[in-house]
Amino acid sequence: MNTSVVNFQQDPVDAALEVGLKDLWFPVCPSGFVKDSPVSLRRLGYKIALWRDHDGKVHALEDHCPHRGAPLSIGVNLGDRIACAYHGVEVRCDGTVTRVPGSPGCKLEGSRPARMFHVEERAGAIFLFNATAPHVDSPPPLRLPEQLTSPEWSAFLCYTEWGCDYRYVLDNVLDPMHGAYLHKQSHSMAEGEISADFQIRDTDIGFFFEKKGQRNVNFDWTEWMDTGIHTMRLEIPYPKTGGPGGNFTIIGSYTPISKQAAGVFHWRCRKVSGWQRDTWRFLYKNRLEERHWHVLEQDRVAVENMEPDANRREHLYQHDMGLVRLRRHLKGLATQQLDQAAPKA
């Protein structure tokens, strides 16, 4: 009998991508997930404790007490720091141990052994900077698309979690052609050709992947954007019964939870103000939101039921140029990350 053991070693580039690239901003949860009592979330290869101080500001530390590794998330909120429930060790939001009540003056006090995360609360979500180093005093600014920052736009955050690698979600959004098939019964994607030629058009911050000769008919294009956070944008043409504001814009960003789970963030946006803003928001909550969840559910079922290795047994064609471009780009970023982390000879 052959008792040999085959050791599988994951490709380091794939391993880096699986948990999310470093030195980028990622959305980690809707704002409502984080209250006064600390909560624990797995994101980006870490277990993270998040809480609000007395002024409502969100803080984040790795959910690991530097004393013995107990979860800080079950500790006591002391404002800008957490007291570990296990032995009372107090860890400030910058990763510094400020007090060890069981052994005052010990070498742990004043040290900075805990990994901290910079966070910002914007557009109804908590964003976290996934730094390479455990302590970064000044992260780069969080630059979101104008649809999430301009007062000329109104947006609703739609958050869900899918049971798949987050990269499958990226592939799905960078595939406009699936709209004509998977969503063909949708109120907003029943029109247009069921075959198309595609092109890639570069921008200063990414690229468009778009159908040639078809615009404002169906799900006709996707824009990939890198502004220190990776986001995607697309538009769905709307009939007049969908209310004012023109095309329906979706801003998406996707965060790894685990190898088989992804945080899926979609902001549903329209450029409206005044009475049109009120009309759009009323229509969305009372008529459109349910339809949009139905479309998103079609995506979820398709993607979750793909095998984990489905992207290793593909036969791609012209419609897939966009996802090939993005995969190569992300692998290039991961390679750069690994090269920078490698010890210098």
Side-chain angles (χ1 to χ4, degrees):
M1 182 176 66
N2 184 358
T3 58
S4 62
V5 176
V6 177
N7 291 319
F8 171 75
Q9 183 156 356
Q10 187 178 14
D11 173 62
V13 171
D14 185 70
L17 287 172
E18 184 179 288
V19 295
L21 290 165
K22 298 294 185 182
D23 301 322
L24 288 171
W25 288 92
F26 288 85
V28 291
C29 65
S31 292
F33 278 30
V34 184
K35 304 186 187 304
D36 294 340
S37 297
V39 296
S40 182
L41 298 175
R42 292 191 182 274
R43 300 289 189 273
L44 302 162
Y46 299 101
K47 186 181 177 187
I48 303 169
L50 299 104
W51 76 100
R52 294 182 184 273
D53 63 22
H54 304 316
D55 295 321
K57 179 177 172 57
V58 179
H59 301 287
L61 290 168
E62 186 171 6
D63 196 8
H64 176 99
C65 179
H67 171 221
R68 291 272 303 282
L72 291 172
S73 57
I74 65 171
V76 179
N77 179 356
L78 298 177
D80 68 346
R81 64 197 190 281
I82 292 179
C84 179
Y86 206 13
H87 295 94
V89 173
E90 297 180 15
V91 187
R92 197 167 58 205
C93 58
D94 65 354
T96 301
V97 174
T98 59
R99 183 167 178 257
V100 180
S103 183
C106 73
K107 63 179 182 180
L108 188 56
E109 284 190 343
S111 67
R112 198 180 182 187
R115 177 174 283 271
M116 58 86 68
F117 300 93
H118 287 279
V119 291
E120 287 202 25
E121 186 171 9
R122 306 262 293 276
I126 307 299
F127 295 84
L128 179 146
F129 185 66
N130 188 29
T132 299
H135 310 110
V136 174
D137 291 328
S138 299
L142 172 60
R143 295 170 54 205
L144 296 173
E146 68 166 327
Q147 290 83 2
L148 305 185
T149 60
S150 170
E152 296 181 352
W153 287 82
S154 178
F156 291 94
L157 170 59
C158 163
Y159 174 75
T160 187
E161 296 176 9
W162 287 1
C164 64
D165 189 306
Y166 78 104
R167 289 169 289 180
Y168 279 9
V169 190
L170 295 177
D171 289 348
N172 178 74
V173 179
L174 202 59
D175 172 22
M177 202 65 222
H178 84 265
Y181 293 89
L182 185 63
H183 307 312
K184 63 184 176 181
Q185 302 302 324
S186 166
H187 69 291
S188 57
M189 284 181 276
E191 304 297 329
E193 299 294 330
I194 61 172
S195 63
D197 289 330
F198 282 83
Q199 65 184 8
I200 293 173
R201 179 163 51 91
D202 291 324
T203 71
D204 292 340
I205 56 172
F207 64 91
F208 280 89
F209 183 55
E210 57 193 1
K211 296 176 183 176
K212 294 181 181 179
Q214 180 172 304
R215 200 75 166 191
N216 297 324
V217 176
N218 197 321
F219 173 14
D220 296 329
W221 54 269
T222 301
E223 182 183 10
W224 165 261
M225 298 177 284
D226 183 347
T227 59
I229 178 174
H230 289 171
T231 55
M232 302 174 88
R233 180 171 71 97
L234 60 96
E235 286 185 2
I236 304 298
Y238 254 30
K240 292 184 178 180
T241 54
N247 288 351
F248 177 69
T249 299
I250 298 174
I251 301 294
S253 192
Y254 315 104
T255 301
I257 294 175
S258 69
K259 187 174 182 178
Q260 285 299 309
V264 179
F265 295 78
H266 288 122
W267 285 267
R268 293 159 168 174
C269 318
R270 293 188 94 172
K271 194 171 186 179
V272 284
S273 60
W275 69 266
Q276 290 187 336
R277 180 187 181 94
D278 295 336
T279 301
W280 140 246
R281 296 185 72 85
F282 176 82
L283 281 173
Y284 180 83
K285 298 305 292 185
N286 289 276
R287 180 189 300 174
L288 303 176
E289 184 176 22
E290 183 178 356
R291 297 177 183 179
H292 297 157
W293 274 110
H294 176 68
V295 171
L296 195 61
E297 183 69 1
Q298 292 171 337
D299 287 317
R300 183 194 66 79
V301 170
V303 173
E304 280 192 348
N305 283 284
M306 294 170 66
E307 291 297 314
D309 66 343
N311 58 8
R312 298 182 184 180
R313 296 187 287 130
E314 298 173 318
H315 297 273
L316 304 180
Y317 51 93
Q318 203 262 354
H319 293 172
D320 305 307
M321 289 192 307
L323 66 89
V324 171
R325 166 71 175 271
L326 180 57
R327 289 175 182 178
R328 288 175 178 170
H329 176 64
L330 294 177
K331 286 182 178 180
L333 293 177
T335 301
Q336 292 176 23
Q337 174 183 305
L338 293 170
D339 290 344
Q340 292 170 359
K344 305 301 181 182

